[in-house]
Amino acid sequence: MQIELSRRVVQLCIAILALIALSMLGTYYVDWLWFESIGYNSVFLTMLFSEWAVYLTVFAFSFLLIAYNLDYARKNMPPSGDDSRAYEQEDDVIYLHPVASPWTRFMEGPLMRWSLLGLALVSAFLLSASTGSEWLTVQQYLHKQPFGITDSLFYQDLSFYFFDLKFYTLVYDILMAILVMTLTLVAGLHLLNAGRSLAVASFVRHSSGKSHMSALLALIILLKAWGYKLETYGLLFDHNGIVFGATYTDISARLVAFNIMIAVAVATCLFIALSIYKKRFTWVVYAFGAWLLLALSLNSVYPFLMQKFVVQPNEFNMEKPYIMEAIKSTRVAYNLDGIETREFDIKYNLDAQKLEDNRLIVDNIRLWDWQPLKSTYKSLQELRLYYVFNDIDIDRYLIDGKKRQVMLSAREMEEMDRNASLPAEAKTWVNQRLMYTHGYGVVMSPVTEVAQEGFPQFFIKDIPPQSSVDIEVKQPQIYFGESTDSYVIVNGIQKEFDYPLGDTNMYTNYSGTNGLLVNSFARRLLFAWELADYKLILATDITNDSQILMNRNIMDRVEKLAPYLSYDSDPYIVINKDDGKLYWMLDAYTVSNHFPYSQPYRDSGENYIRNSVKLTIDAYSGEVNFYIADAADPIIRTYEQIFPGMYKDIKDMPAGLKSHIRYPVDMFAIQSRIYGTFHMQDPWVFYNKEDSWIFANEIADNKEKNMEPYYIIMRLPGALEPEYILMLPYTPNGRPNMIAWMCVRMDNDEYGQILVYTFPKKETVYGPMQIESRINQNTEISKQLTLWDQKGSSVYRGNLLVIPIGESLLYIEPLYLQAASSQMPEMKRVIAAYEDNIVMEESLAKCLQRLFGYPAPDGSTVAPGVQEPDNGVVIDSGTDLMALVEQASQYYQAADQAARNGDWAAYGDNLDKLGKALDDMKVQLNQP
């Protein structure tokens, strides 16, 4: 009965292992099919073989080493203290026979050998389980590319720290873990065998066990000597002093301590070997204790005393060379060493003529913030409950022959299971997997223009996409996007919903060929298992021509293809004017935490970054392309060697997409934050942080917060043509005035060039928060804001933009009004500030007219394409006096009626228009 039970247990275990193996093989096979479907099967094979090669190597080595040591310990164990002797008498002669105890018989039997073999297998599995994920470290070591830069302490090429040191550290950690595990198991086996003799401290006769354990301990200490050597290089990335990297104490104390400990560890290892030879096992204890005592004294006490009594009393002079090295290295690590600094000699000489000369800039001043615009898009253009606008992107296009800055968003299909607006009966499996498979089209609007009622003026809108400009969306379906997290099945019997058309729906079939074919029942079973969806087996709408589209979320998609890259947080949708298709564009970074002396930009320790890769993802087919944007980066050159054919030259990117390459905000934010400290290249100024810069603050969404970098079309001082840039203003740490602004160029051959414009020290230039304070203190504006921000409505203050034009600065802030019962913020006013003047008007054009007397070309006070957000009456400077009186009366009556209805937004709006009408009446009365 017991044998039968054991057999069944064994069979059950074998069945479970077989199921696990089949599941793993199924997962690998599905991954293979997916990688092959998009043309990256070689990438899959490289990653798979690399991972298993590392895992199997570590597993085999650790298993052999542990199994050998356990077997050696078993074979060389003396009899346990429980062994006895049997007496036998024959012909008056008494014979003494040794009789082994049950424990001894067990130790020498086959069951023990199999048990130790199983223990070795389990230990090897535990040790190697996570090592497969380190395949990239091994591949980087094998394909490393040089930096051409050496550090100032060990004179190693930086590739040594990026690739070699990581590999050596990995090998060290694995070997140390294996040796410690081996020593622990061997010691446990000897202690288990000691039996009662251990309890009475009678362990002297176990000399072979002591020798074995001492030998393993000697190997561990010898390996630790190598660990000390690796730690000496790690000083270049530590933060023990005033700057990151090795400082005076590190060089004079810790480095010396590590070198001494290397010699001590080698000597300890030799001394233990001598103690084994001499059978003086107490020497092992003394040697190990002395090593620990020296390690504690040299690695902790000595550096502390050095820092406390030598460095701190004369810190700057001691640390000056290391401060200079940290400044230089950090600037190189973040690509800041090539920044060009210029002086912005502010003159406040902006006038109507200069504004006309910079008309392209004025026409592209961004008045729409993405937060209120997203709500407006949602209310006006989602059109159906199952559509969603995930975010708002900003870009520039050549529209009707002019460069225009626009905001656009993709209309994606929201996952039904998380759509609270849809009724439960609509969330069927067929709807989610077979019918509602894709989003449809984009919405685009210019950054400046405002239509009636304060809504955006659309360039592209509705379903099917209707364009009022020379951009046509020819393939509007979006199967891959930011909100598409689940798989879908296309090309089945069930037609796919394409878009709504009046009271009916239009249907389509996916025409791509890059999905996973469901062309057999075996594949149905496999996909059902992998996707944990049994309905795949039962569905009758699936045919042999059906395809499964997986990993449709573009971030999941690219991370599966290249998990070793770091990705930007903002993919953006692009319309390729050449083919009318939609593409996602995404920036990827190579990062590392092994740049000597460089300050990390986040808590995880990364202190090197390059925007080395640009990605494009076809929104219809899901095709992904990787383009090298920074061929000078050794890390991406290393990846190019590891994955031949995966990365393309940026010159091969289609022209219709290449014109939409942007410098990423995340990268610029990191660089600008680091530069705020490391623009100080004088070591004394840096040491005292005398000239530290920080991001300017603003009031946005009615809260004070750091300004974020923003895109703008502008003409740089001295430049001939306007260009697309990303910029950010700086203020001194602790003071509100603006001290400089940084920008990065991204058009043509100037892509990536960073410029910093500093203001003269003698000039006081208003910072954004000073402008915000002046807005709050302006009685006219404050009164209007208070009036609007009553019950039933709320005011949303948009981003304050600092816009350099010529030799002047113009500040622009939009205001939005939203009723409590509405989800559509309306742009109601624009605030403009120039020098000491602040105005608030219904449009940017009116602000500029009041500040500079700058009219629109048609003579009106409203720029082309901008209509008054009004309820029917438009004031014009040419209207006669009686008409103005009539208009004033209408505004007064409308305001009175709004007050009776409790509509304070309309009340304030009409009062404001009444004031404008009265001002125009004064002008008419004062005319000769």
Side-chain angles (χ1 to χ4, degrees), residues 583-645:
Y583 295 85
W584 296 97
M585 296 190 72
L586 177 63
D587 289 276
Y589 310 108
T590 52
V591 300
S592 176
N593 56 2
H594 278 73
F595 199 102
Y597 282 100
S598 175
Q599 176 174 299
Y601 63 89
R602 57 185 177 189
D603 294 339
S604 52
E606 283 85 351
N607 63 358
Y608 171 91
I609 186 170
R610 288 292 185 273
N611 178 210
S612 299
V613 182
K614 303 286 184 180
L615 291 87
T616 63
I617 305 101
D618 191 316
Y620 185 87
S621 68
E623 178 187 356
V624 182
N625 285 293
F626 295 80
Y627 297 95
I628 296 180
D630 186 359
D633 174 35
I635 298 182
I636 198 60
R637 295 204 313 269
T638 299
Y639 293 152
E640 190 179 16
Q641 294 294 314
I642 298 172
F643 304 102

Side-chain angles (χ1 to χ4, degrees), residues 819-844:
S821 58
S822 171
Q823 296 299 317
M824 294 188 294
E826 302 174 16
M827 185 184 294
K828 284 300 182 182
R829 294 293 184 271
V830 177
I831 299 174
Y834 175 76
E835 201 170 7
D836 293 324
N837 301 315
I838 293 182
V839 298
M840 182 175 72
E841 292 292 343
E842 295 160 342
S843 67
L844 176 61

Side-chain angles (χ1 to χ4, degrees), residues 500-569:
L501 186 64
D503 295 333
T504 63
N505 292 329
M506 300 299 291
Y507 295 89
T508 187
N509 267 337
Y510 181 71
S511 61
T513 58
N514 58 326
L516 277 61
L517 279 172
V518 190
N519 55 5
S520 68
F521 185 72
R523 283 201 177 187
R524 277 207 194 197
L525 289 175
L526 176 63
F527 292 141
W529 175 265
E530 286 300 313
L531 298 172
D533 192 345
Y534 71 92
K535 294 178 181 178
L536 270 168
I537 304 173
L538 306 176
T540 58
D541 288 325
I542 300 176
T543 70
N544 286 343
D545 294 325
S546 298
Q547 302 176 53
I548 294 180
L549 302 183
M550 299 171 56
N551 301 311
R552 296 195 302 138
N553 185 293
I554 57 175
M555 296 305 296
D556 295 342
R557 197 171 186 82
V558 298
E559 287 172 358
K560 190 173 184 67
L561 285 167
Y564 45 84
L565 294 176
S566 179
Y567 293 96
D568 192 78
S569 62

Side-chain angles (χ1 to χ4, degrees), residues 205-242:
R205 62 193 180 96
H206 290 265
S207 59
S208 61
K210 286 185 175 181
S211 298
H212 188 186
M213 290 186 288
S214 299
L216 289 173
L217 181 62
L219 287 176
I220 290 174
I221 295 176
L222 183 62
L223 182 62
K224 185 61 181 176
W226 188 36
Y228 287 132
K229 182 62 178 178
L230 297 179
E231 287 186 72
T232 62
Y233 297 117
L235 292 173
L236 297 177
F237 325 115
D238 283 346
H239 185 206
N240 297 313
I242 191 172

Side-chain angles (χ1 to χ4, degrees), residues 255-270:
L255 181 58
V256 173
F258 284 140
N259 288 329
I260 293 174
M261 288 308 301
I262 292 172
V264 170
V266 173
T268 303
C269 176
L270 295 175

